[in-house]
Amino acid sequence: MPNGDNWQSDVLRDLRGAPGPRPAGTGGPSSTPPTPPPAQAQAPGPAQNPGPAPAATSAHPAAPAQTPTPPQSPGATPAPPPPHTPIPPHTPDPPHGSVPPRISGPSQTSAPHQAPAHATRPRRPSTPDSRAVVDDALGGTARRPQRGEPVGVRIARAVRRIVSSSAAREVAELTRTAATLQQPVTTGRQIAVTSIRGGAGKTTVAALLGTAYAHYRQDPVLLVEADPALGSLPLRLGAGTLRWTTADLADIVEPQMSLLDVTGYLVQLPENAWLLPGSRGQIGAMLGTSTYERVMVALRRYFGVTVVDCETLPAEVARVALSASQARVLTAPATLDGITSTYAVLQWMQGLPRHMIDGTVVVLSGLAARPGIDVEAAAEKLRSTGAGVHVLPYDRHLAAGGVLRTELLARPTRLAATRLAAEVFQLSQKRR
């Protein structure tokens, strides 16, 4: 009969046919244990490890071997049959990844603990294929980029600067602006750019801000495209190919990574700037709020300034980006409907915590050389809500929608973009 304290050892012995001690009262007083069959006559030696018994781990345990009855002499009282050996209770299969129960044997040694399979670190996503930002056939349709303003306008402005004293004032203003843009930061500043609707110049303003910060600052600058729905930020910044996206980087960035490791997944731009695209030019790319938050929190410590090109309001990621950033830029076209929609949004923001409206700057983008509204009067109306307002004049180079080249911008556009970058950065410094 199996020992109740160690029934597994008894089952193991019975399956191998090895003789074992018989408890008292189970057989005749002088019965001799039977001789095992030849295949099972040898018990395992001390150096052999019999391993776990199948009966303890199999879903269908084998019945224990029956002990043969010794031959009886004629006339002898037959010995009572040995009591029936109970079948050990069924042990269910261990869950996937766990260590199966070990059965103690004559010479079994303990094995080191094995980690469950589900505790292993998830594998990083495979390297995606590079995709061109602009197809070769489509790129051939673009005309030669033109300057932001005609030659006659540039000549007239140069003459006025020579005969007037405005050149000295302009130099002094640029010096103050550069000093503001070069202020050190203790933690990375995040600036979100969004709009009410498409076609308001949101991506253009984000590209202008990122270019200005990269030109004046010494620390790395990052431009993030949080608008995966076929955003045009890579095209505006002159990126050739795209590989890793914002959603991909969320599962890759780790705290122990260095700046060199991180930039290996980004698109390098001129003047110490980097781009993280939102998609590879494919329809259907999605970006959730949790993914966006993980990426921005992980990348914040690597870059002094991060400019985020968000989705248009009221998209969920755009709202999260606006609330998490230290400064916000709301772009609007310099049209009557653009001014009306922007004014309604600013009135809504007045009901939010005060820092939201105080840290917001509205950019009125000129879509035509002669706008259909009084831009200065409209700007004053928007300033009455507490937000700052800047006017980005019409520029032929920006209106073409191609690669942004700062040397081709009109001088008023460059000055307006630099002032905007300085004010937005100053606002971001006030918010910790």
Side-chain angles (χ1 to χ4, degrees):
M1 178 177 180
N3 188 349
D5 296 333
N6 196 6
W7 60 267
Q8 293 176 329
S9 299
D10 295 330
V11 171
L12 177 66
R13 182 179 57 252
D14 292 339
L15 290 177
R16 289 189 170 83
R22 299 177 61 88
T26 60
S30 59
S31 57
T32 305
T35 303
Q40 301 178 354
Q42 236 179 1
Q48 295 177 347
N49 190 351
T57 57
S58 172
H60 303 282
Q66 298 293 334
T67 306
T69 306
Q72 301 291 332
S73 58
T77 304
H84 175 66
T85 303
I87 299 177
H90 168 62
T91 303
D93 292 340
H96 176 68
S98 62
V99 180
R102 302 184 64 87
I103 301 177
S104 57
S107 59
Q108 192 173 22
T109 57
S110 60
H113 177 69
Q114 300 178 2
H118 59 76
T120 59
R121 188 178 186 83
R123 298 181 60 184
R124 292 184 177 180
S126 58
T127 303
D129 297 331
S130 297
R131 292 179 62 93
V133 176
V134 180
D135 187 83
D136 294 339
L138 296 177
T141 62
R143 294 181 177 178
R144 181 180 179 181
Q146 58 181 349
R147 290 186 174 272
E149 54 187 358
V151 179
V153 177
R154 298 200 304 271
I155 294 176
R157 179 176 293 107
V159 172
R160 287 196 302 268
R161 294 179 70 248
I162 292 175
V163 300
S164 66
S165 59
S166 61
R169 293 195 301 270
E170 185 177 298
V171 171
E173 180 185 0
L174 287 176
T175 302
R176 292 192 299 269
T177 303
T180 301
L181 292 172
Q182 293 172 354
Q183 292 179 2
V185 295
T186 54
T187 57
R189 305 286 90 187
Q190 295 181 3
I191 299 170
V193 183
T194 187
S195 62
I196 306 301
R197 60 179 177 82
K202 170 180 64 69
T203 300
T204 300
V205 171
L208 289 172
L209 290 177
T211 303
Y213 294 135
H215 176 71
Y216 284 98
R217 298 190 62 80
Q218 298 297 323
D219 47 8
V221 174
L222 177 65
L223 291 98
V224 176
E225 187 181 40
D227 186 2
L230 297 180
S232 58
L233 185 61
L235 171 62
R236 281 304 224 178
L237 295 173
T241 58
L242 305 177
R243 174 168 292 179
W244 302 96
T245 65
T246 305
D248 296 332
L249 213 61
D251 300 325
I252 294 176
V253 178
E254 298 175 352
Q256 68 271 18
M257 296 177 67
S258 65
L259 176 62
L260 185 61
D261 297 330
V262 172
T263 54
Y265 298 97
L266 307 177
V267 179
Q268 187 171 7
L269 303 173
E271 295 185 315
N272 206 27
W274 306 87
L275 167 66
L276 178 58
S279 67
R280 288 184 291 274
Q282 296 173 334
I283 298 177
M286 299 298 293
L287 178 63
T289 56
S290 59
T291 301
Y292 172 80
E293 290 173 349
R294 290 204 311 272
V295 170
M296 298 308 294
V297 170
L299 296 181
R300 182 175 178 177
R301 67 186 185 93
Y302 296 100
F303 300 92
V305 180
T306 300
V307 179
V308 184
D309 182 16
C310 301
E311 297 175 296
T312 56
L313 291 173
E316 187 176 2
V317 175
R319 296 199 304 268
V320 172
L322 290 178
S323 61
S325 59
Q326 286 78 39
R328 290 151 291 279
V329 178
L330 183 63
T331 62
T335 59
L336 183 58
D337 61 338
I339 296 296
T340 303
S341 302
T342 304
Y343 185 70
V345 172
L346 293 178
Q347 287 181 318
W348 167 74
M349 293 181 66
Q350 286 180 321
L352 302 177
R354 184 64 188 177
H355 72 272
M356 292 292 293
I357 192 72
D358 291 341
T360 300
V361 176
V362 178
V363 178
L364 297 179
S365 302
L367 302 182
R370 294 179 60 87
I373 62 171
D374 187 346
V375 178
E376 292 300 330
E380 286 299 325
K381 181 63 175 177
L382 296 179
R383 289 191 185 99
S384 64
T385 61
V389 180
H390 279 256
V391 178
L392 187 65
Y394 173 77
D395 190 287
R396 296 190 308 176
H397 179 65
L398 294 179
V403 179
L404 175 62
R405 295 174 57 181
T406 55
E407 70 274 10
L408 298 181
L409 293 175
R411 186 172 185 82
T413 305
R414 289 200 300 268
L415 295 177
T418 306
R419 296 190 192 103
L420 171 64
E423 180 173 346
V424 173
F425 180 75
Q426 191 71 20
L427 291 176
S428 70
Q429 290 283 69
K430 297 178 182 180
R431 178 71 179 171
R432 299 300 177 183

